[in-house]
């Protein structure tokens, strides 16, 4: 079996778990928790970056990061399932994935700054910079929520919104009603979204 090293709160690991479910591959993947902060965790031998998600293949080879893993799973499922092969659709999905992952990147930096650093040492300008990225991305998505069949872009955006719900009490929802409606429809169409909620 494939082994997915993950943390329940990781939006990137959640993206892979949802992708695997959409692709019908969940039964082929063992889910194994990892502690990226623990030097003794085998994660650091599997992925020199010590990051999650990491997918360990049957031959012991490890794949990382979530974009590479998603590409591999799509290939394993026959290709063109969540990452379209037609160029226009493909790059639209990949761009949407980059937007969702970018929201997560910024949100994680804010989380690290506000949760891990003592209040007196927090860098407010850095927090504002990252918040601006999130706000602009949410504005773009609210103006034109994802459409069409579920692809990797849809999954990435849904996981980003789920992470904002988890770590920032869903504050994004008040000013992005179209996106709230979209996420509700996504959750209905993709049961793995609620099944992977922390």
């Amino acid at each position: 079996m494939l082994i997915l090293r993950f943390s329940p709160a990781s939006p990137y690991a959640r993206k892979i778990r949802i992708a695997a479910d959409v692709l019908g591959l969940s039964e082929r993947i063992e889910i194994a928790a990892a502690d990226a902060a623990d030097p003794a965790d085998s994660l650091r031998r599997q992925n020199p970056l010590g990051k999650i998600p990491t997918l360990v293949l049957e031959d012991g080879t490890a794949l990382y990061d979530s974009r590479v893993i998603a590409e591999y799973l799509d290939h394993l499922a026959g290709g063109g399932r969540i990452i379209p092969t037609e160029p226009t659709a493909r790059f639209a999905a990949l761009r949407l994935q980059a937007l969702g992952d970018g929201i997560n990147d910024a949100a994680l930096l804010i989380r690290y700054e506000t949760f891990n650093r003592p209040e007196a040492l927090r860098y407010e300008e850095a927090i504002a910079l990252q918040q601006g990225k999130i706000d602009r991305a949410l504005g773009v998505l609210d103006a034109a929520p994802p459409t069409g069949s579920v692809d990797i872009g849809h999954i990435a955006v849904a996981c980003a919104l789920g992470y904002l719900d988890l770590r920032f009490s869903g504050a994004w929802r008040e000013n992005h009603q179209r996106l709230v409606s979209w996420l509700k429809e996504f959750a209905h169409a993709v049961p793995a979204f609620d099944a992977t909620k922390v």
Side-chain angles (χ1 to χ4, degrees):
M1 288 187 68
L2 305 171
I3 302 170
L4 180 67
R5 303 304 309 279
F6 91 116
S7 168
S10 167
Y12 308 104
R14 187 181 192 189
K15 179 176 76 170
I16 296 307
R17 293 177 69 196
I18 294 170
D21 188 77
V22 168
L23 293 167
L25 297 173
S26 295
E27 297 300 319
R28 294 183 59 180
I29 301 174
E30 176 187 340
I31 305 297
D35 183 351
D38 181 1
D41 193 301
S42 60
L43 176 67
R44 294 183 184 191
R45 291 187 300 279
Q46 295 160 337
N47 176 350
L49 300 173
K51 295 174 70 175
I52 49 178
T54 293
L55 183 70
V56 182
L57 308 185
E58 292 166 340
D59 67 0
T61 303
L63 296 179
Y64 40 84
D65 64 3
S66 67
R67 295 180 198 196
V68 175
I69 297 170
E71 186 89 36
Y72 176 78
L73 294 180
D74 190 66
H75 164 76
L76 201 60
R81 299 271 309 281
I82 59 169
I83 301 176
T85 54
E86 190 277 319
T88 300
R90 177 181 180 83
F91 289 107
L94 294 177
R95 181 179 69 179
L96 195 57
Q97 177 181 215
L99 193 59
D101 285 355
I103 291 171
N104 284 326
D105 293 343
L108 282 163
L109 288 173
I110 293 172
R111 169 81 173 160
Y112 296 153
E113 188 71 24
T114 57
F115 186 75
N116 295 339
R117 193 183 302 276
E119 187 172 357
L121 300 177
R122 291 178 191 161
Y123 187 30
E124 295 302 326
E125 290 178 10
I127 294 171
L129 176 66
Q130 300 307 322
Q131 188 62 55
K133 295 175 185 180
I134 295 170
D135 293 344
R136 290 189 301 275
L138 291 173
V140 166
L141 289 166
D142 194 60
T147 59
S149 301
V150 171
D151 62 32
I152 194 61
H154 295 77
I155 296 168
V157 167
C159 290
L161 298 177
Y163 189 74
L164 293 178
D165 280 341
L166 175 66
R167 294 300 191 202
F168 302 96
S169 304
W172 66 274
R173 291 173 172 268
E174 183 177 351
N175 297 318
H176 303 94
Q177 291 304 309
R178 293 181 69 196
L179 205 48
V180 169
S181 296
W182 175 83
L183 185 61
K184 184 177 180 180
E185 292 170 7
F186 178 90
H188 178 74
V190 182
F193 181 72
D194 283 338
T196 56
K197 184 177 180 179
V198 176

